Amino acid sequence: MKKLLAALASSVLLLSSAVAQTLPAPTIAAKSWLLLDATSGQLIAAQDPNMRVEPASLTKIMTAYLTFEALRDKKLDINQMVNVSVRAWKVDTSSSKMFIDPAVPVSVNDLLHGLMVQSGNDAAVALAEAVAGDEGTFVTLMNREAQRLGMTSTKFANPHGLPSPDNYTTARDLSVLAKHIIQEFPQYYKIDSVKSFTYNKITQPNRNRLLWLDPTVDGMKTGHTESAGYCMIASAKRPSGNLERRLISVVMGTNSDATRTAESQKLLNWGFQNFETVRLYAKNQTVATAEIWKGSQRNMKIGFRNDVLVTVPKGVAGKMKPQLERKDPLVAPVPAGANVGKLKMMVDGKPLLELPVVALETVEQASIFGRAWDSMRLWMK
């Protein structure tokens, strides 16, 4: 399955390259940016997505992710009360805080709202200590998780994102993390859409201005330091034919809060207006029936083990024509999930993408007599 998903990912890159040649990307006033279609997993457009950048408070998305995992694994409870350490209380007094107090225990739920809505650095430290016992151990978990998710150009130095030479990432890596949060923890991702939160009699608004400007935006997070500039990950979900389509924009290093908001909105609108996501094939749908030799049956169903979704410029989907290339002859035994060829989607005689095709069923070997007969047939073929 991992090999199949990797092959699907590589085909997405092939498709993205073809798309980039036909539809110019917008001009975005940022050091680095990208637009990801989370529905298909496809990168639509990007500028310097692998540039090393400072994540600032976007670091808190990983802190939230690890907390969500702890909740899923029953290591924490959402209503659990957490004691506030002096270390969490004293974190950079000039930075954003939710204003927790060492004398007052606080719930994990309130800390998550303080983290993602108010961007509290004190909340980040308190959650790190609740999950891992201490901040240093939590940072180790952050980096281990980043590697597991494929964020190969990322390193975390703390749970909040205050400046450190050992705190860096890329727009591409952040899009990976954002997609995992949304897909794995939708029940907790909803916190990102909360417009304001009150704790300790102090009400603070969510810094994601798109929540007020675009009703389809439901997250995700902003960040800012003098060295990082103004950064933002935004996500929106809008109807697209028979699907609900989600886009994720990552904008790093703009010069103001207003600019990161405007450029994020520009990216999302451009992606929704100029592209569509279509389901080419459903999971386990039979694409073709292939002849199989020396098997317990003569034919085998082939197709895909997952839904095949692709994002293309509007007007292209109707022009795509499938071209199947099999690894003939197919000789039993063939296990379900085995790669048996590839399907090319052609547009005007040119390949737009390639997808690996797999066996949808297991075909065992025939009897010794059946194998002998097919060996003779193959020899004569």
Side-chain angles (χ1 to χ4, degrees):
M1 182 60 70
K2 288 183 179 179
K3 289 182 179 179
L4 173 60
L5 293 176
L8 286 170
S10 66
S11 68
V12 162
L13 294 179
L14 185 155
L15 180 58
S16 298
S17 175
V19 166
Q21 294 173 14
T22 58
L23 192 63
T27 300
I28 302 296
K31 292 180 182 177
S32 172
W33 59 266
L34 68 75
L35 182 64
L36 174 73
D37 189 304
T39 306
S40 65
Q42 186 179 319
L43 180 64
I44 298 177
Q47 176 179 294
D48 296 323
N50 298 315
M51 175 190 291
R52 180 182 288 191
V53 292
E54 182 184 332
S57 281
L58 300 185
T59 300
K60 295 184 176 83
I61 298 175
M62 178 58 86
T63 299
Y65 184 77
L66 287 172
T67 305
F68 298 159
E69 285 190 323
L71 290 168
R72 179 198 63 198
D73 298 338
K74 309 299 183 183
K75 295 176 181 177
L76 287 179
D77 183 88
I78 193 71
N79 298 312
Q80 179 179 333
M81 301 305 290
V82 173
N83 291 323
V84 178
S85 70
V86 172
R87 182 180 179 87
W89 174 58
K90 281 189 170 182
V91 67
D92 194 345
T93 55
S94 65
S95 66
S96 56
K97 303 181 75 173
M98 72 174 288
F99 300 104
I100 50 180
D101 186 332
V104 182
V106 56
S107 71
V108 171
N109 184 53
D110 281 351
L111 285 172
L112 282 169
H113 282 76
L115 180 80
M116 299 305 288
V117 180
Q118 299 177 329
S119 199
N121 294 323
D122 50 355
V125 175
L127 284 171
E129 292 173 343
V131 171
D134 62 80
E135 192 174 346
T137 303
F138 187 79
V139 170
T140 299
L141 294 178
M142 293 173 78
N143 288 313
R144 185 182 301 166
E145 197 68 359
Q147 291 301 306
R148 185 187 73 82
L149 294 175
M151 300 169 65
T152 56
S153 300
T154 293
K155 184 177 181 182
F156 294 110
N158 55 56
H160 39 63
L162 288 171
S164 167
D166 291 325
N167 212 41
Y168 55 82
T169 187
T170 66
R172 187 186 298 274
D173 280 2
L174 288 172
S175 73
V176 170
L177 177 58
K179 184 183 175 202
H180 275 278
I181 282 257
I182 293 169
Q183 292 183 341
E184 293 181 38
F185 301 107
Q187 71 276 37
Y188 300 127
Y189 170 66
K190 292 177 182 177
I191 294 172
D192 291 2
S193 64
V194 175
K195 292 182 178 180
S196 67
F197 180 65
T198 301
Y199 181 80
N200 199 13
K201 298 181 180 179
I202 301 170
T203 300
Q204 299 184 62
N206 195 315
R207 291 165 173 79
N208 182 354
R209 294 192 185 188
L210 287 181
L211 294 174
W212 285 267
L213 300 173
D214 184 343
T216 70
V217 171
D218 55 10
M220 179 163 233
K221 188 76 183 71
T222 62
H224 169 253
T225 64
E226 288 298 321
S227 49
Y230 290 83
C231 310
M232 186 175 186
I233 299 176
S235 183
K237 186 167 62 173
R238 301 180 191 176
S240 177
N242 296 326
L243 301 172
E244 266 204 316
R245 183 173 167 224
R246 178 177 291 282
L247 298 186
I248 298 172
S249 64
V250 182
V251 173
M252 306 298 294
T254 69
N255 60 13
S256 70
D257 177 16
T259 300
R260 73 181 172 192
T261 301
E263 299 304 83
S264 297
Q265 182 75 87
K266 183 195 297 184
L267 261 183
L268 292 171
N269 285 341
W270 178 79
F272 280 117
Q273 290 166 4
N274 292 285
F275 293 83
E276 61 182 337
T277 298
V278 294
R279 180 182 280 108
L280 295 182
Y281 299 98
K283 177 181 179 181
N284 294 327
Q285 176 184 344
T286 301
V287 173
T289 301
E291 183 179 16
I292 188 162
W293 300 80
K294 302 185 182 181
S296 56
Q297 59 194 59
R298 282 295 177 194
N299 296 295
M300 176 181 65
K301 296 176 181 177
I302 62 176
F304 304 96
R305 299 305 293 268
N306 294 283
D307 286 355
V308 177
L309 300 159
V310 296
T311 303
V312 292
K314 288 186 175 179
V316 169
K319 299 178 181 179
M320 291 191 293
K321 295 181 179 179
Q323 180 178 301
L324 180 63
E325 296 179 3
R326 292 202 307 262
K327 294 180 177 179
D328 290 334
L330 297 173
V331 180
V334 178
N339 190 317
V340 295
K342 59 186 177 183
L343 186 75
K344 291 183 179 180
M345 298 304 296
M346 312 293 289
V347 175
D348 297 329
K350 298 178 181 179
L352 186 63
L353 81 157
E354 294 180 1
L355 298 166
V357 180
V358 303
L360 294 179
E361 55 188 330
T362 296
V363 178
E364 304 292 351
Q365 281 188 325
S367 66
I368 188 170
F369 299 106
R371 296 199 303 273
W373 173 249
D374 275 1
S375 292
M376 183 173 65
R377 291 177 63 217
L378 279 170
W379 180 74
M380 295 176 64
K381 190 176 180 181

